[in-house]
């Protein structure tokens, strides 16, 4: 996650987690830094994986008060495509924050091919309680 925000408001700290992953088609193998399929500031990413056709789940390593996810699809090969946030879960509770997204290509949810030209960029800003 990015550097700590030096300003606190009402005991809340905001942090930003920026990373990307390389979709692997229909493979359900989790994305990892070691495999080169999870890239960037991944220290707070507990897991990132495909959960179904064109669907992906990102789980952070910590609970959060509130999360603000932003996903962008970058591809030299896929046109008319975007990422859609389906669900943001576990906000304000004791469980780790999660977000589910799906890839929409030409109006249909679809798997993204495994290639070096397609990447999903993730930018998740979270609010943490000041310990």
């Amino acid at each position: 996650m990015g550097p700590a925000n030096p300003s606190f408001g009402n005991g809340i700290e905001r942090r930003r987690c920026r990373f990307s992953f390389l979709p692997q088609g229909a493979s359900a193998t989790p994305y990892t830094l070691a495999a080169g399929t999870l890239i960037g500031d991944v220290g707070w990413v507990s897991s990132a994986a495909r959960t179904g056709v064109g669907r992906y789940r990102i789980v952070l390593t910590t609970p959060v008060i509130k999360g603000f996810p932003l996903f962008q699809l970058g591809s030299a090969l896929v046109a008319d495509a975007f990422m859609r946030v389906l669900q943001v879960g576990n906000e304000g509770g004791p469980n780790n924050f999660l977000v589910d997204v799906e890839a929409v290509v030409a109006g249909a949810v679809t798997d993204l091919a495994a290639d070096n030209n397609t990447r999903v960029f993730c930018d998740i800003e979270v609010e943490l309680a000041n310990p």
Side-chain angles (χ1 to χ4, degrees), residues 37-121:
T37 53
L38 187 62
I39 301 163
D41 186 14
V42 298
W44 284 39
V45 178
S46 172
S47 65
R50 177 185 176 272
T51 58
V53 175
R55 295 192 172 182
Y56 307 90
R57 173 170 281 179
I58 309 298
V59 180
L60 299 185
T61 60
T62 187
V64 304
I65 295 170
K66 189 83 174 155
F68 306 92
L70 174 66
F71 288 82
Q72 181 177 0
L73 175 62
S75 178
L77 305 176
V78 181
D80 189 21
F82 62 93
M83 300 302 293
R84 176 170 41 210
V85 175
L86 295 173
Q87 162 184 271
V88 173
N90 300 337
E91 289 181 309
N95 297 319
N96 293 0
F97 177 79
L98 65 87
V99 60
D100 291 327
V101 296
E102 65 185 3
V104 180
V105 179
V109 176
T110 188
D111 282 323
L112 297 170
D115 65 66
N116 290 330
N117 295 310
T118 303
R119 182 182 289 187
V120 176
F121 296 92

Side-chain angles (χ1 to χ4, degrees), residues 20-24 30-40 115-116 119:
S20 62
F21 64 88
L22 299 167
Q24 299 297 300
Y31 306 123
T32 65
L33 192 60
T37 53
L38 187 62
I39 301 163
D115 65 66
N116 290 330
R119 182 182 289 187

